[in-house]
Amino acid sequence: TNRTTDADKAKVDQKEAELLYRTVDVFIAQDNPSGNGVIRTQLTGDVADVVANEIVIEISKGIIGQAKRNINQVESTFAVDMNEAVLAAERVVLNVNIFLPDLELRLGSQQRAEMQNALQDLKEAIRTNDASKALVAGSAINEIIAAYEGELN
């Protein structure tokens, strides 16, 4: 029947999600160990108990920790090791891009655009060795992340 087919497909999709999540769970667990547990439980339990929004929230919380750590690394290495600052800035961009679509859903397109501008400003500040611009960009990124975190809780 159609209902059996849908349930079977959902179970296959859940297993695929579990296998995919295993490739990134260490990054989530580092900054959101309890959320990692929530995700694992949902991906290995009854498919009827899966709540996609909870999974998105817990993944975002884990990635936010990575982004914040990399912003701090940009600030601490800017004047000392520009190569490390460049790498940290690239990691910030990669981290934020993971949750950027959800940020837009929760905060709106204006906040997404402001985040994208701040990320671009951060990269430009590092490229031009402009410490004050990097600090302003990092602060803007942190403010938007804080607003996003407020929507996740």
Side-chain angles (χ1 to χ4, degrees), residues 108-139:
S109 57
Q110 178 66 33
Q111 290 287 49
R112 179 188 177 124
E114 288 178 18
M115 176 65 86
Q116 290 172 312
N117 289 340
L119 292 170
Q120 189 60 41
D121 287 349
L122 180 64
K123 289 171 65 174
E124 183 180 313
I126 290 172
R127 191 176 65 253
T128 60
N129 201 19
D130 186 340
S132 63
K133 185 173 187 170
L135 287 172
V136 169
S139 177

Side-chain angles (χ1 to χ4, degrees), residues 15-112:
K15 188 63 172 175
E16 288 175 355
E18 176 196 357
L19 295 173
L20 175 64
Y21 184 69
R22 285 184 188 174
T23 64
V24 298
D25 72 342
V26 67
F27 297 107
I28 306 306
Q30 195 173 15
D31 291 289
N32 188 8
S34 65
N36 184 55
V38 168
I39 295 166
R40 284 179 168 270
T41 298
Q42 288 201 25
L43 295 179
T44 58
D46 187 336
V47 73
D49 295 332
V50 173
V51 180
N53 188 50
E54 288 180 12
I55 293 172
V56 169
I57 287 170
E58 299 306 338
I59 288 173
S60 293
K61 287 179 179 179
I63 298 300
I64 284 169
Q66 300 282 327
K68 287 178 173 180
R69 198 166 28 265
N70 284 302
I71 291 168
N72 289 338
Q73 191 170 14
V74 168
E75 293 171 357
S76 67
T77 60
F78 193 91
V80 181
D81 184 348
M82 191 53 73
N83 288 330
E84 190 57 42
V86 168
L87 289 173
E90 288 300 325
R91 287 191 299 265
V92 170
V93 172
L94 291 172
N95 296 146
V96 169
N97 281 329
I98 291 169
F99 60 77
L100 198 57
D102 188 58
L103 181 145
E104 181 176 13
L105 287 174
R106 295 176 196 273
L107 298 179
S109 57
Q110 178 66 33
Q111 290 287 49
R112 179 188 177 124

